[in-house]
Amino acid sequence: MTAYWFEGGVEDVEDAVEGLRNEAPEEAADLPSLAVESGVFTDEEHYYNRLHEATLEHARRRIEELEPEDSAVVHAVRTLDELDDAGGRLRQRVEDWRGDSEPVAEAEDVVDAVEDAREELRERVEREVRDVAPNLSKIAGPLLAARLIAEAGGLDSLAKMPSGTLQVLGAEDALFRHLQDGTPPPKHGLIYLHPYVHETTPEHRGSAARCLAGKLSIAARVDRYSGDLRPELKEELDMKIQEIQSRGEGG
Amino acid sequence: MTDIEWRDFDGVEVPTTSGEAAADEPVVDGRRVWHPRRSKLAAALVKEGFPGWRKVLYLGGGAGTGPSYVADTAEAVYAVEFARSPARRLVEVAETRQRLFPVVEDARKPEIYRSYVEKVDFLYQDVATRGQADVANANAEYLRSGSTAWITVKARSEDVTAEPEDVYDDVEEELGENYTVEGIVDLAPFYDDHAVVTATKI
């Protein structure tokens, strides 16, 4: 039905919510006065109260219909890892083959196609994760940000995680070995991929990892709950890491 | 609905509103501080002054913090946000404000909300996609003739290789079909590489 939302009646919220899904009329209009003139509402206050109730309910339902963007990132990262494995194994297989005889051209085409697909997917992941988690991506770099989200099972879980858990995320084996056998605890998991961790000398690497994990944790929470951009997080981290890396120098 | 009041905060005159806190914003003498480093709209207000508004279409409503401040000072605010996680927060914030209406739709397809979003006298747009001018043009029908639009442009999300000035010039030209561009307000020092294009609906 082509009509403004209230034209089909607004007796109860369900009618009103249904009305919001009406097909678009010709043009945007002065709805409150139109609606009051039509006699559907006693006054604008009445109009707005009903509209508020209806838009809240409609919005809740629309949200349920949308795919969570971070779940797209999680799927994409996992697919990326699969493509990595598959591409690597295929490449190895074709190389082995080449050692003995000439592999058929189709096999090499497949390897190339897998590697192209991987590259394309990587770019897509980087783009999407910047939208979903801009602060986390700024500090971690988009790919590490995506891996952290995937490993946690979503931005929501990552944001709820204590930073000490985030720090060793991806090093669960070492963590459980530590808990069970008393081996030294892991200092870092996935975040080892970050230059601030792997480029710091082993002596100070634990401090760098702890400091980075703290900021990543804050960034994930800002991305999940507020959505603002906080460039100062990165600046603060840069300063702290510089301080950690210069410890013991010239002393 | 009350007016914006200006208060000194961190040595800057910042806008404040009265209303229930929506996030973790500072509150001074019962007034919600609308900090120019936390909101591009607040940064634009600090640099440009309060343009006045009664009914507002807010494209890129995010988690609802920006719209909540506008709702404190307007008769009706329609906040459009299409990303799932911020939209959830937006709905929670809208529950606390009678005249804040959440619109969980794609701002690039404004006909979808034409059955319930009314004509407004102020358009604010902060969408994180390319083609910001397209979004502003598509939504121009909601803005009364002679009314004001503020469109934030982030130079880097338009074209990473272009100089910021070039990007702003392009946006200005593309807006020409529906708007007269009045000026371009650089949001530095609060935001780098961001500007607000101020325009009047033709």
Side-chain angles (χ1 to χ4, degrees):
Chain A
M1 184 170 71
T2 303
Y4 294 111
W5 69 280
F6 51 85
E7 292 180 296
V10 289
E11 291 310 302
D12 56 40
V13 184
E14 209 49 52
D15 292 336
V17 172
E18 202 51 48
L20 298 181
R21 290 188 189 258
N22 283 350
E23 233 177 87
E26 284 296 297
E27 53 183 338
D30 253 325
L31 296 179
S33 43
L34 203 68
V36 173
E37 275 166 34
S38 75
V40 179
F41 299 97
T42 50
D43 54 20
E44 295 202 355
E45 187 70 24
H46 182 203
Y47 172 87
Y48 280 126
N49 288 345
R50 199 19 68 102
L51 179 63
H52 192 247
E53 209 176 17
T55 52
L56 283 175
E57 184 54 33
H58 182 51
R60 288 184 199 111
R61 293 181 195 177
R62 290 289 291 134
I63 287 168
E64 293 312 310
E65 289 167 12
L66 298 179
E67 194 200 347
E69 324 83 71
D70 63 335
S71 92
V73 168
V74 172
H75 286 301
V77 168
R78 289 180 184 158
T79 309
L80 195 62
D81 289 342
E82 293 292 332
L83 284 175
D84 261 347
D85 288 352
R89 273 199 309 272
L90 280 170
R91 170 73 64 197
Q92 191 56 48
R93 171 73 50 218
V94 171
E95 292 306 319
D96 289 352
W97 189 346
R98 204 194 306 283
D100 291 334
S101 63
E102 198 49 38
V104 287
E106 285 84 349
E108 296 189 310
D109 288 348
V110 169
V111 176
D112 289 344
V114 169
E115 286 177 356
D116 287 349
R118 184 205 179 272
E119 209 40 35
E120 229 169 88
L121 186 62
R122 185 184 56 80
E123 282 172 20
R124 190 176 139 192
V125 167
E126 293 190 354
R127 215 169 37 239
E128 284 181 1
V129 77
R130 281 197 188 96
D131 278 345
V132 173
N135 291 294
L136 187 69
S137 302
K138 172 124 196 242
I139 295 176
L143 211 52
L144 175 56
R147 285 189 195 285
L148 288 168
I149 291 171
E151 191 69 31
L155 181 58
D156 203 60
S157 330
L158 190 66
K160 288 185 178 137
M161 215 170 252
S163 85
T165 308
L166 190 157
Q167 186 182 340
V168 297
L169 198 63
E172 284 75 11
D173 289 351
L175 181 65
F176 288 119
R177 248 193 334 269
H178 160 69
L179 294 174
Q180 202 159 28
D181 308 336
T183 53
K187 294 190 192 70
H188 38 66
L190 276 172
I191 64 168
Y192 182 76
L193 296 169
H194 198 286
Y196 281 171
V197 180
H198 68 246
E199 285 174 9
T200 300
T201 54
E203 190 191 353
H204 299 306
R205 199 170 281 157
S207 312
R210 193 168 57 244
C211 170
L212 174 66
K215 282 289 183 251
L216 290 173
S217 195
I218 295 169
R221 285 166 201 171
V222 174
D223 288 334
R224 168 64 184 83
Y225 298 107
S226 125
D228 297 347
L229 290 179
R230 305 263 177 91
E232 66 274 16
L233 289 176
K234 173 85 165 56
E235 289 157 22
E236 290 161 11
L237 174 69
D238 292 350
M239 274 169 54
K240 277 197 185 163
I241 292 289
Q242 211 171 10
E243 191 233 282
I244 289 170
Q245 290 182 339
S246 62
R247 274 181 207 163
E249 269 178 25
Chain B
M1 183 188 86
T2 55
D3 276 341
I4 280 181
E5 282 178 22
W6 296 83
R7 296 287 166 89
D8 186 79
F9 192 81
D10 287 349
V12 184
E13 281 282 298
V14 301
T16 67
T17 68
S18 72
E20 194 182 314
D24 57 351
E25 72 270 20
V27 176
V28 175
D29 309 332
R31 308 279 309 175
R32 302 176 64 210
V33 172
W34 198 356
H35 203 283
R37 283 193 191 279
R38 289 186 171 203
S39 152
K40 280 168 242 164
L41 179 49
L45 287 169
V46 168
K47 300 207 65 165
E48 189 66 8
F50 182 43
W53 51 48
R54 288 178 50 235
K55 303 195 175 177
V56 179
L57 178 56
Y58 194 123
L59 304 175
T65 311
S68 74
Y69 284 103
V70 180
D72 288 343
T73 59
E75 285 176 28
V77 183
Y78 300 87
V80 182
E81 175 56 54
F82 199 43
R84 200 179 204 239
S85 1
R88 277 180 198 278
R89 261 304 282 158
L90 170 64
V91 169
E92 288 169 19
V93 173
E95 283 165 359
T96 68
R97 282 168 171 81
Q98 266 318 101
R99 296 297 181 89
L100 174 53
F101 306 97
V103 180
V104 182
E105 300 293 348
D106 187 347
R108 287 169 299 185
K109 295 174 187 149
E111 64 279 2
I112 294 178
Y113 40 86
R114 203 187 280 143
S115 74
Y116 60 100
V117 173
E118 64 179 300
K119 279 210 155 194
V120 298
D121 54 47
F122 190 83
L123 171 72
Y124 177 69
Q125 177 180 314
D126 180 13
V127 293
T129 68
R130 286 157 200 270
Q132 283 148 331
D134 293 340
V135 175
N137 280 325
N139 285 275
E141 61 162 305
Y142 289 97
L143 189 59
R144 283 177 204 288
S145 177
S147 292
T148 300
W150 282 7
I151 299 152
T152 64
V153 257
K154 181 188 177 192
R156 276 177 303 200
S157 80
E158 288 289 315
D159 176 355
V160 285
T161 59
E163 289 295 309
E165 289 75 19
D166 294 344
V167 173
Y168 303 147
D169 287 347
D170 289 349
V171 170
E172 183 170 356
E173 189 185 314
E174 290 168 44
L175 286 175
E177 50 180 284
N178 292 293
Y179 302 90
T180 309
V181 173
E182 307 292 347
I184 292 173
V185 184
D186 188 350
L187 296 189
F190 307 115
Y191 286 88
D192 295 331
D193 292 325
H194 280 83
V196 163
V197 176
T198 60
T200 305
K201 169 76 188 302
I202 294 171

